[in-house]
Amino acid sequence: KEVETKQTSPTNSHFTLYKTKTNSFKMAYNKKSVASHCTAFKSIYSTCLLLFSIVLVTGLQFTNQTGLAQKAHPAVAFVVLWALLIWLSMVEGGQASLVGLAPVQNDIYAQTHELSYKSTAITNKGDNLDRYLMGRQFMVIFIVFLINMSGA
């Protein structure tokens, strides 16, 4: 077996860190912890609430009870809402990635993740990241405003 040492993560008891003979680390999930049952319950409960919310908002859209559904066809409101939600998730994910990769030397992932390397080469020059974050805030406000129009 290639496992050399085993250590439970001090910040999260759900995982155990394994140091291999090649000085790399692997992380394994502790399936028998009580917290994993709580996590499973929270995941199921939140998924049920999410599905309930989707059904509720979609029902409101198709009965012309949202702002955009009243002014346009309900299908337009439905498509606009989902397009904006997908766009918002990409904006938020991109921001998290760029901020998370800022302190990492981009030579590490230049060969394996070429698109990330090209993106961070631009955003990490000067104050480009700060300017991106400021512009992103205005874009998020705009997207959330339109989501409110189409889904509320």
Side-chain angles (χ1 to χ4, degrees):
K1 209 172 185 183
E2 72 176 52
V3 173
E4 214 172 76
T5 59
K6 177 180 171 181
Q7 171 186 342
T8 303
S9 173
T11 57
N12 193 341
S13 62
H14 300 358
F15 297 99
T16 302
L17 294 173
Y18 294 97
K19 185 175 181 184
T20 63
K21 291 181 182 178
T22 60
N23 288 329
S24 62
F25 288 93
K26 289 186 180 181
M27 190 175 285
Y29 187 72
N30 297 333
K31 293 181 181 177
K32 295 184 180 181
S33 73
V34 174
S36 66
H37 295 295
C38 290
T39 302
F41 174 75
K42 289 190 295 186
S43 297
I44 292 169
Y45 184 68
S46 63
T47 301
C48 290
L49 288 176
L50 175 66
L51 292 174
F52 173 74
S53 299
I54 290 171
V55 168
L56 184 69
V57 171
T58 303
L60 290 172
Q61 285 177 327
F62 282 100
T63 56
N64 293 327
Q65 296 183 38
T66 65
L68 188 60
Q70 289 174 352
K71 296 175 184 168
H73 194 273
V76 172
F78 180 79
V79 170
V80 167
L81 176 70
W82 282 101
L84 290 169
L85 286 173
I86 292 169
W87 187 16
L88 182 64
S89 67
M90 289 190 295
V91 168
E92 293 293 335
Q95 178 258 333
S97 300
L98 289 174
V99 170
L101 285 174
V104 178
Q105 291 181 356
N106 53 2
D107 299 342
I108 296 172
Y109 52 87
Q111 299 297 321
T112 57
H113 299 84
E114 294 176 16
L115 187 57
S116 297
Y117 175 75
K118 290 176 184 177
S119 297
T120 56
I122 295 169
T123 58
N124 292 346
K125 285 184 182 174
D127 63 345
N128 285 349
L129 184 59
D130 292 334
R131 294 186 324 191
Y132 164 77
L133 292 174
M134 182 59 70
R136 182 201 139 277
Q137 282 302 110
F138 289 110
M139 187 167 51
V140 166
I141 291 169
F142 172 71
I143 294 170
V144 170
F145 178 76
L146 292 177
I147 288 172
N148 187 35
M149 283 182 56
S150 63

